[in-house]
Amino acid sequence: MDTRVITDSVACLPATLTEEFGIHVIPVRLAAHGVVYRDLDNELPDTQIRRLQEVDAIDTTPWSPEHYCQEYLGAATDVDSLVHVVAFSSFTSTMSLARAGAAMAQERVPCLRIEVVDSGSTLMGQGFVALAAARAAASGMALED
């Protein structure tokens, strides 16, 4: 595979599909009481989830550009291009932060090509866009396609 698709956990893609198509899923950042969690990690046991449900406000600010850079570098170990499908940009600042992270990753690995794509949606709408991109990549289509 030359291109790997990346999306975040908001896309609600089942693990069977992310595994089948090699989609790299970035967990959403959750912060409460000064502690940052990754929503897909095992660090959220049932007791912690119940505590988070009782919090007045949970900070879901997207990750920093440095975090996205590290995710891209980790996802690109066996491919030369990445497509990151993000939630629609009028909903979140993920697009600009991810683009900054992509620029950082490309400075470190100049031959790595990264496109950050606004899905125009969120939740499964975003997931369908990511899945379509992964199917295109699996069929050998170029990054531009």
Side-chain angles (χ1 to χ4, degrees):
M1 181 187 297
D2 295 329
T3 301
R4 169 158 293 120
V5 173
I6 298 173
T7 195
D8 57 55
S9 56
V10 170
C12 301
L13 286 172
T16 55
L17 290 175
T18 60
E19 292 167 10
E20 178 181 351
F21 291 100
I23 299 171
H24 180 83
V25 178
I26 300 174
V28 169
R29 178 190 168 279
L30 305 171
H33 301 296
V35 179
V36 175
Y37 302 94
R38 298 165 55 98
D39 77 333
L40 296 179
D41 283 351
N42 291 330
E43 68 184 44
L44 288 175
D46 290 342
T47 55
Q48 185 61 37
I49 291 171
R50 282 193 291 281
R51 285 183 46 212
L52 286 172
Q53 290 170 336
E54 297 170 1
V55 173
D56 290 334
I58 295 176
D59 175 8
T60 58
T61 302
W63 296 105
S64 68
E66 294 81 11
H67 185 87
Y68 287 110
C69 175
Q70 291 303 314
E71 290 281 347
Y72 297 147
L73 294 175
T77 57
D78 59 347
V79 297
D80 57 12
S81 61
L82 302 170
V83 174
H84 184 179
V85 178
V86 300
F88 61 96
S89 59
S90 60
F91 178 71
T92 177
S93 60
T94 301
M95 184 94 170
S96 61
L97 295 167
R99 282 188 172 153
M104 293 169 70
Q106 289 171 312
E107 283 178 16
R108 294 185 191 172
V109 182
C111 62
L112 179 61
R113 298 170 52 207
I114 305 171
E115 291 292 331
V116 180
V117 178
D118 186 339
S119 69
S121 188
T122 191
L123 300 172
M124 270 311 295
Q126 176 185 347
F128 289 133
V129 173
L131 186 56
R135 285 182 170 140
S139 73
M141 294 181 82
L143 175 66
E144 296 77 19
D145 298 324

